Amino acid sequence: ETLGLAAQWGAAVAERQQQQLGAQAAGERMPYVLINRTGVDCHVWVDAAEGAGRGSGRIDTTPVLLSDGTSLPWRFEDWRQRREQLEGQAHHLGIQFANGQWEWLRRVQVDREGVRHYTLAPTIDGIQHRVAVEVTMDAVNLVKRVLLRSPLVVENRTRVAMEVVMCDYRGELRTDAATIQPGDELPLPLLFCHQYAIRVRPESGFGYAWSTQYVYWRDFLAPGARTELSCAPVAAAAPGAAGVFHVHFNALSDARSPALYKYPFMRLVMAPPLEIENLLPYPVHACVIDRSAGRKWVGTVARGGVAPVHAVQPGHLVLLTLRIPDAGFET
């Protein structure tokens, strides 16, 4: 009997997914797109109000698999039902994570833009996890993006691709590395964001090792927290080897919220320790010297450009020398 129910469930899920793909192929515009970046597969369905649409049979509440890292075009009713409605109705999702550790979520709102957090029950190892549901409007494709993610997000505001990995308190790696391109962001895995810290490095092709230290979200709740990580070059002893690569972290959160001290409702932003922006009408040759650490950075900043400097550390004595050859003078 159990195998029969499982087969019926799988057949229903496959049929619903085929209907979604068929509607998209037929040219019907799907007003929503669901995106799963929680690190856990889940099933989603239309969570209709009790008795809503049951008589017409036009509201399909069959669960659909939404794998981690994938997206799914979505609708809550067909165009015939929308045409017959005189007033708009609230749309809600139901969510069931496939790891079997949490109960399902009901009445998840997706109509209004913004971020809402939902509590997952029961607790796991004493941790009350939360999932964030972020709704944004895609003005180009005219769809609403519904992103399922953890509340802890890492954002890359450097000019190079960065790799991020989660580790335990001993610094041992616990997840696979994920790459964040410049300007992109990465929601950390839902099951690990509370208990694990992160280590970083520039993309492996740059030749740097993982940062020797790590940052943990609770560190940013107290003053004097370490806000930078350092990555040493793999071939540090080789002639002409690159210097140490420093990354500065800034935590964006609502410090007035008591929930912040129980769960990582924050965004960790990676940025260079120093940036040189050239607003002059000439290229600028710059030399930055970290007197405290004895390191030097030399580079050219194009007209209207910005040059990141990862060779210095915040809090050190830093000197800057500029040359503007095209202007006919030096400073």
Side-chain angles (χ1 to χ4, degrees):
E1 182 180 356
T2 302
L3 293 176
L5 291 175
Q8 292 178 10
W9 173 278
V13 169
E15 182 181 357
R16 176 62 189 270
Q17 289 177 321
Q18 196 64 33
Q19 290 176 354
Q20 295 280 358
L21 294 175
Q24 186 181 19
E28 180 179 350
R29 187 176 67 86
M30 309 294 270
Y32 291 83
V33 57
L34 310 183
I35 307 168
N36 181 6
R37 299 189 69 185
T38 61
V40 185
D41 296 344
C42 66
H43 289 87
V44 293
W45 64 91
V46 176
D47 191 6
E50 192 68 28
R54 301 300 171 87
S56 62
R58 291 175 181 166
I59 298 182
D60 188 352
T61 58
T62 305
V64 178
L65 176 63
L66 181 59
S67 300
D68 175 52
T70 65
S71 61
L72 178 68
W74 192 261
R75 65 181 179 187
F76 286 87
E77 64 274 322
D78 61 19
W79 64 272
R80 299 177 186 85
Q81 185 172 1
R82 292 198 300 269
R83 182 185 60 183
E84 296 170 1
Q85 292 175 355
L86 297 179
E87 297 181 358
Q89 296 182 355
H91 296 140
H92 297 86
L93 281 177
I95 303 174
Q96 173 68 69
F97 287 99
N99 59 357
Q101 295 177 289
W102 296 303
E103 301 172 357
W104 60 36
L105 287 176
R106 295 202 58 191
R107 313 304 291 169
V108 176
Q109 301 181 28
V110 296
D111 284 328
R112 296 184 178 181
E113 290 186 274
V115 180
R116 295 179 178 83
H117 298 98
Y118 295 87
T119 301
L120 299 174
T123 61
I124 299 178
D125 298 329
I127 302 174
Q128 187 79 69
H129 289 279
R130 278 85 165 178
V131 61
V133 179
E134 181 178 353
V135 181
T136 56
M137 184 66 190
D138 185 346
V140 176
N141 299 310
L142 299 179
V143 296
K144 280 187 177 178
R145 299 175 71 255
V146 181
L147 173 63
L148 310 181
R149 60 170 176 83
S150 73
L152 183 58
V153 178
V154 179
E155 183 178 347
N156 183 8
R157 292 189 186 174
T158 71
R159 307 260 171 176
V160 298
M162 297 292 297
E163 292 184 353
V164 176
V165 70
M166 305 203 75
C167 66
D168 58 22
Y169 69 95
R170 294 185 296 268
E172 297 181 1
L173 307 185
R174 293 298 183 183
T175 64
D176 295 332
T179 302
I180 314 177
Q181 297 298 327
D184 286 349
E185 59 185 36
L186 173 71
L188 296 181
L190 184 59
L191 281 168
F192 303 140
C193 67
H194 181 277
Q195 65 190 90
Y196 289 154
I198 64 171
R199 296 171 65 183
V200 302
R201 70 179 179 185
E203 200 171 26
S204 57
F206 289 96
Y208 285 92
W210 289 108
S211 57
T212 53
Q213 301 293 328
Y214 55 77
V215 292
Y216 184 49
W217 66 272
R218 285 189 183 275
D219 296 339
F220 294 92
L221 303 180
R226 180 177 61 251
T227 58
E228 71 274 345
L229 292 179
S230 301
C231 305
V234 175
V244 178
F245 188 94
H246 299 283
V247 183
H248 179 72
F249 279 83
N250 184 32
L252 305 179
S253 60
D254 183 4
R256 299 169 298 178
S257 173
L260 178 62
Y261 295 87
K262 299 180 181 180
Y263 207 77
F265 299 98
M266 66 174 59
R267 179 180 294 266
L268 301 179
V269 180
M270 294 186 292
L274 176 67
E275 286 187 334
I276 303 175
E277 183 176 7
N278 181 14
L279 300 180
L280 298 175
Y282 309 102
V284 172
H285 301 295
C287 177
V288 179
I289 301 174
D290 187 335
R291 289 291 298 272
S292 301
R295 288 189 292 267
K296 182 172 69 172
W297 176 91
V298 178
T300 300
V301 188
R303 181 179 63 180
V306 177
V309 181
H310 291 273
V312 301
Q313 291 179 260
H316 285 191
L317 175 62
V318 177
L319 305 180
L320 174 64
T321 300
L322 298 177
R323 289 196 314 111
I324 315 175
D326 293 350
F329 59 88
E330 297 184 3
T331 58

